[in-house]
Amino acid sequence: MPRAELTGLPAIPETALSDALVATLPANDAPAPWECHCTGLVWLGRGGKAATAALPPALRGSAGLVTVGGFVRYTDTPVGAYDEVLGIVGSRSGVRPWGHVAFMAVDSPASLVGGRTNWAMPKTLARFDGDPASAMTAAGADGDWRVQARVRPLGPAVPLRLTGTARQQFADGRVGHSRLVCSARARPALVSVTVTSAGSLPQWLRPGRRLGAVLESARFTLAAPRFD
């Protein structure tokens, strides 16, 4: 039987899971919170109607104001090392900003299960090539989408500390709020992004040249969600 916490998340087409894949996935042996160590690359994009449409139904009362794309190479997590590509839609409630993970793909079945079960992040599986410090590519397991980023660093690395809130809609309709606390060394960069898909991904995680940053080292904690 399909597991509702995995297959019932509202999400864009690129993150859909087949019944055949779900049947092979492990149980969730790594409940929240997670502490993770990684390197990575992030870039900023503008929001708009397509970004708002990428939000799940419970969050569409807010506008998609900005997007964030990224590649992450995890070296230490509760489920081991793995690679990740992501797309976030940023918005706010009143004056409080938050982000929604609308797209996420990894090369770890255990991370897929943990992300969907713990935080309702719609992870799927992908193949990865390259390094986030220079150039990296992710492609869907069936070849139906592809994200590539090439990096030109612009300056020295500086210390960075961030806090934020992830808002995700669970399969039962509840919205969870999870606090992220991150410390990193980040180097400004220009990022050339290519996104191809027959689905909606390129409409809001737009290709082109973007301002971003290389994360030379980072450590973050993602808490268990609180619910509305």
Side-chain angles (χ1 to χ4, degrees):
M1 294 287 292
R3 292 146 64 181
E5 75 275 14
L6 300 180
T7 60
L9 302 182
I12 65 172
E14 288 86 351
T15 63
L17 303 181
S18 68
D19 290 344
L21 173 59
V22 172
T24 70
L25 294 175
N28 181 28
D29 292 327
W34 281 16
E35 180 176 319
C36 301
H37 298 247
C38 60
T39 60
L41 165 68
V42 294
W43 62 88
L44 295 174
R46 61 186 175 89
K49 292 182 179 179
T52 301
L55 295 170
L59 298 180
R60 282 188 199 144
S62 300
L65 303 176
V66 67
T67 61
V68 180
F71 283 97
V72 185
R73 174 154 289 165
Y74 292 97
T75 54
D76 184 16
T77 80
V79 294
Y82 64 92
D83 287 342
E84 178 178 273
V85 61
L86 58 89
I88 296 171
V89 177
S91 188
R92 63 184 176 88
S93 298
V95 298
R96 295 185 177 182
W98 49 265
H100 170 76
V101 176
F103 167 72
M104 187 171 274
V106 296
D107 58 1
S108 162
S111 174
L112 184 160
V113 170
R116 284 181 173 252
T117 304
N118 295 336
W119 299 285
M121 293 183 176
K123 294 185 181 184
T124 188
L125 291 182
R127 303 183 303 272
F128 292 83
D129 184 59
D131 187 280
S134 54
M136 199 162 184
T137 301
D142 295 328
D144 52 346
W145 58 263
R146 184 172 178 270
V147 180
Q148 182 182 60
R150 297 184 179 276
V151 185
R152 181 161 71 88
L154 297 177
V158 296
L160 185 66
R161 185 171 176 83
L162 297 171
T163 60
T165 299
R167 299 189 72 196
Q168 304 292 132
Q169 183 178 336
F170 282 70
D172 61 7
R174 294 181 301 164
V175 174
H177 308 250
S178 302
R179 184 169 177 81
L180 174 78
V181 178
C182 176
S183 59
R185 286 190 60 81
R187 190 177 183 189
L190 281 177
V191 187
S192 297
V193 181
T194 302
V195 182
T196 57
S197 174
S200 63
L201 188 62
Q203 298 172 21
W204 61 272
L205 191 65
R206 296 180 178 90
R209 183 171 290 185
R210 302 283 179 257
L211 288 175
V214 175
L215 305 179
E216 295 186 346
S217 63
R219 179 181 65 188
F220 71 84
T221 301
L222 185 60
R226 298 177 294 105
F227 293 94
D228 288 344

PDB file of all heavy atoms in Angstrom, residues 36-53:
ATOM      1  N   CYS A  36      23.176  18.998  10.258  1.00  0.00           N
ATOM      2  CA  CYS A  36      23.848  18.622   9.023  1.00  0.00           C
ATOM      3  C   CYS A  36      25.077  19.500   8.788  1.00  0.00           C
ATOM      4  O   CYS A  36      25.073  20.691   9.115  1.00  0.00           O
ATOM      5  CB  CYS A  36      22.899  18.763   7.836  1.00  0.00           C
ATOM      6  SG  CYS A  36      21.398  17.772   7.961  1.00  0.00           S
ATOM      7  N   HIS A  37      26.113  18.907   8.178  1.00  0.00           N
ATOM      8  CA  HIS A  37      27.309  19.619   7.753  1.00  0.00           C
ATOM      9  C   HIS A  37      27.417  19.471   6.239  1.00  0.00           C
ATOM     10  O   HIS A  37      27.188  18.382   5.704  1.00  0.00           O
ATOM     11  CB  HIS A  37      28.549  19.041   8.422  1.00  0.00           C
ATOM     12  CG  HIS A  37      28.535  19.159   9.923  1.00  0.00           C
ATOM     13  ND1 HIS A  37      29.407  19.957  10.616  1.00  0.00           N
ATOM     14  CD2 HIS A  37      27.730  18.573  10.858  1.00  0.00           C
ATOM     15  CE1 HIS A  37      29.154  19.869  11.908  1.00  0.00           C
ATOM     16  NE2 HIS A  37      28.139  19.025  12.075  1.00  0.00           N
ATOM     17  N   CYS A  38      27.788  20.541   5.553  1.00  0.00           N
ATOM     18  CA  CYS A  38      27.731  20.494   4.091  1.00  0.00           C
ATOM     19  C   CYS A  38      28.576  21.594   3.460  1.00  0.00           C
ATOM     20  O   CYS A  38      29.054  22.509   4.124  1.00  0.00           O
ATOM     21  CB  CYS A  38      26.282  20.641   3.622  1.00  0.00           C
ATOM     22  SG  CYS A  38      25.497  22.185   4.134  1.00  0.00           S
ATOM     23  N   THR A  39      28.743  21.483   2.140  1.00  0.00           N
ATOM     24  CA  THR A  39      29.149  22.572   1.271  1.00  0.00           C
ATOM     25  C   THR A  39      28.015  22.790   0.285  1.00  0.00           C
ATOM     26  O   THR A  39      27.097  21.964   0.191  1.00  0.00           O
ATOM     27  CB  THR A  39      30.446  22.254   0.528  1.00  0.00           C
ATOM     28  OG1 THR A  39      30.239  21.078  -0.279  1.00  0.00           O
ATOM     29  CG2 THR A  39      31.587  21.976   1.498  1.00  0.00           C
ATOM     30  N   GLY A  40      28.059  23.897  -0.472  1.00  0.00           N
ATOM     31  CA  GLY A  40      26.951  24.094  -1.386  1.00  0.00           C
ATOM     32  C   GLY A  40      27.047  25.344  -2.222  1.00  0.00           C
ATOM     33  O   GLY A  40      28.072  26.038  -2.248  1.00  0.00           O
ATOM     34  N   LEU A  41      25.964  25.607  -2.906  1.00  0.00           N
ATOM     35  CA  LEU A  41      25.833  26.742  -3.810  1.00  0.00           C
ATOM     36  C   LEU A  41      24.371  27.172  -3.788  1.00  0.00           C
ATOM     37  O   LEU A  41      23.472  26.331  -3.884  1.00  0.00           O
ATOM     38  CB  LEU A  41      26.234  26.331  -5.232  1.00  0.00           C
ATOM     39  CG  LEU A  41      25.831  27.261  -6.371  1.00  0.00           C
ATOM     40  CD1 LEU A  41      26.606  28.568  -6.290  1.00  0.00           C
ATOM     41  CD2 LEU A  41      26.060  26.583  -7.714  1.00  0.00           C
ATOM     42  N   VAL A  42      24.116  28.477  -3.655  1.00  0.00           N
ATOM     43  CA  VAL A  42      22.747  28.993  -3.703  1.00  0.00           C
ATOM     44  C   VAL A  42      22.690  30.195  -4.637  1.00  0.00           C
ATOM     45  O   VAL A  42      23.700  30.873  -4.858  1.00  0.00           O
ATOM     46  CB  VAL A  42      22.225  29.391  -2.307  1.00  0.00           C
ATOM     47  CG1 VAL A  42      22.094  28.169  -1.420  1.00  0.00           C
ATOM     48  CG2 VAL A  42      23.134  30.437  -1.655  1.00  0.00           C
ATOM     49  N   TRP A  43      21.510  30.449  -5.204  1.00  0.00           N
ATOM     50  CA  TRP A  43      21.323  31.629  -6.042  1.00  0.00           C
ATOM     51  C   TRP A  43      19.906  32.164  -5.853  1.00  0.00           C
ATOM     52  O   TRP A  43      18.999  31.450  -5.446  1.00  0.00           O
ATOM     53  CB  TRP A  43      21.588  31.319  -7.513  1.00  0.00           C
ATOM     54  CG  TRP A  43      20.677  30.305  -8.124  1.00  0.00           C
ATOM     55  CD1 TRP A  43      19.462  30.511  -8.729  1.00  0.00           C
ATOM     56  CD2 TRP A  43      20.909  28.882  -8.217  1.00  0.00           C
ATOM     57  NE1 TRP A  43      18.929  29.339  -9.181  1.00  0.00           N
ATOM     58  CE2 TRP A  43      19.796  28.328  -8.885  1.00  0.00           C
ATOM     59  CE3 TRP A  43      21.950  28.050  -7.804  1.00  0.00           C
ATOM     60  CZ2 TRP A  43      19.710  26.971  -9.143  1.00  0.00           C
ATOM     61  CZ3 TRP A  43      21.853  26.696  -8.050  1.00  0.00           C
ATOM     62  CH2 TRP A  43      20.745  26.162  -8.722  1.00  0.00           C
ATOM     63  N   LEU A  44      19.741  33.455  -6.136  1.00  0.00           N
ATOM     64  CA  LEU A  44      18.463  34.144  -5.946  1.00  0.00           C
ATOM     65  C   LEU A  44      17.784  34.400  -7.277  1.00  0.00           C
ATOM     66  O   LEU A  44      18.440  34.658  -8.293  1.00  0.00           O
ATOM     67  CB  LEU A  44      18.685  35.487  -5.240  1.00  0.00           C
ATOM     68  CG  LEU A  44      19.225  35.427  -3.813  1.00  0.00           C
ATOM     69  CD1 LEU A  44      19.529  36.844  -3.326  1.00  0.00           C
ATOM     70  CD2 LEU A  44      18.240  34.739  -2.892  1.00  0.00           C
ATOM     71  N   GLY A  45      16.462  34.368  -7.276  1.00  0.00           N
ATOM     72  CA  GLY A  45      15.651  34.711  -8.445  1.00  0.00           C
ATOM     73  C   GLY A  45      14.422  35.485  -8.004  1.00  0.00           C
ATOM     74  O   GLY A  45      14.101  35.553  -6.821  1.00  0.00           O
ATOM     75  N   ARG A  46      13.738  36.061  -8.969  1.00  0.00           N
ATOM     76  CA  ARG A  46      12.542  36.826  -8.631  1.00  0.00           C
ATOM     77  C   ARG A  46      11.334  35.910  -8.487  1.00  0.00           C
ATOM     78  O   ARG A  46      11.292  34.812  -9.024  1.00  0.00           O
ATOM     79  CB  ARG A  46      12.274  37.891  -9.698  1.00  0.00           C
ATOM     80  CG  ARG A  46      12.033  37.367 -11.105  1.00  0.00           C
ATOM     81  CD  ARG A  46      11.919  38.525 -12.089  1.00  0.00           C
ATOM     82  NE  ARG A  46      11.797  38.055 -13.464  1.00  0.00           N
ATOM     83  CZ  ARG A  46      10.652  37.769 -14.055  1.00  0.00           C
ATOM     84  NH1 ARG A  46       9.519  37.888 -13.370  1.00  0.00           N
ATOM     85  NH2 ARG A  46      10.619  37.353 -15.309  1.00  0.00           N
ATOM     86  N   GLY A  47      10.358  36.410  -7.743  1.00  0.00           N
ATOM     87  CA  GLY A  47       9.107  35.682  -7.583  1.00  0.00           C
ATOM     88  C   GLY A  47       8.131  36.025  -8.692  1.00  0.00           C
ATOM     89  O   GLY A  47       8.516  36.361  -9.807  1.00  0.00           O
ATOM     90  N   GLY A  48       6.846  35.948  -8.396  1.00  0.00           N
ATOM     91  CA  GLY A  48       5.824  36.236  -9.391  1.00  0.00           C
ATOM     92  C   GLY A  48       4.732  35.188  -9.383  1.00  0.00           C
ATOM     93  O   GLY A  48       4.628  34.348  -8.479  1.00  0.00           O
ATOM     94  N   LYS A  49       3.871  35.229 -10.416  1.00  0.00           N
ATOM     95  CA  LYS A  49       2.716  34.339 -10.477  1.00  0.00           C
ATOM     96  C   LYS A  49       3.112  32.870 -10.499  1.00  0.00           C
ATOM     97  O   LYS A  49       2.468  32.033  -9.854  1.00  0.00           O
ATOM     98  CB  LYS A  49       1.875  34.672 -11.701  1.00  0.00           C
ATOM     99  CG  LYS A  49       1.173  36.021 -11.626  1.00  0.00           C
ATOM    100  CD  LYS A  49       0.327  36.263 -12.857  1.00  0.00           C
ATOM    101  CE  LYS A  49      -0.409  37.600 -12.788  1.00  0.00           C
ATOM    102  NZ  LYS A  49      -1.227  37.847 -14.001  1.00  0.00           N
ATOM    103  N   ALA A  50       4.161  32.537 -11.254  1.00  0.00           N
ATOM    104  CA  ALA A  50       4.566  31.134 -11.327  1.00  0.00           C
ATOM    105  C   ALA A  50       5.094  30.645  -9.991  1.00  0.00           C
ATOM    106  O   ALA A  50       4.856  29.494  -9.597  1.00  0.00           O
ATOM    107  CB  ALA A  50       5.617  30.942 -12.424  1.00  0.00           C
ATOM    108  N   ALA A  51       5.825  31.501  -9.276  1.00  0.00           N
ATOM    109  CA  ALA A  51       6.319  31.128  -7.945  1.00  0.00           C
ATOM    110  C   ALA A  51       5.161  30.936  -6.982  1.00  0.00           C
ATOM    111  O   ALA A  51       5.148  29.986  -6.179  1.00  0.00           O
ATOM    112  CB  ALA A  51       7.280  32.188  -7.433  1.00  0.00           C
ATOM    113  N   THR A  52       4.161  31.807  -7.037  1.00  0.00           N
ATOM    114  CA  THR A  52       2.986  31.656  -6.178  1.00  0.00           C
ATOM    115  C   THR A  52       2.253  30.356  -6.501  1.00  0.00           C
ATOM    116  O   THR A  52       1.796  29.644  -5.598  1.00  0.00           O
ATOM    117  CB  THR A  52       2.043  32.854  -6.346  1.00  0.00           C
ATOM    118  OG1 THR A  52       2.744  34.053  -6.016  1.00  0.00           O
ATOM    119  CG2 THR A  52       0.821  32.723  -5.456  1.00  0.00           C
ATOM    120  N   ALA A  53       2.145  30.013  -7.780  1.00  0.00           N
ATOM    121  CA  ALA A  53       1.460  28.787  -8.183  1.00  0.00           C
ATOM    122  C   ALA A  53       2.190  27.538  -7.714  1.00  0.00           C
ATOM    123  O   ALA A  53       1.581  26.464  -7.607  1.00  0.00           O
ATOM    124  CB  ALA A  53       1.289  28.759  -9.695  1.00  0.00           C
TER     125      ALA A  53
END
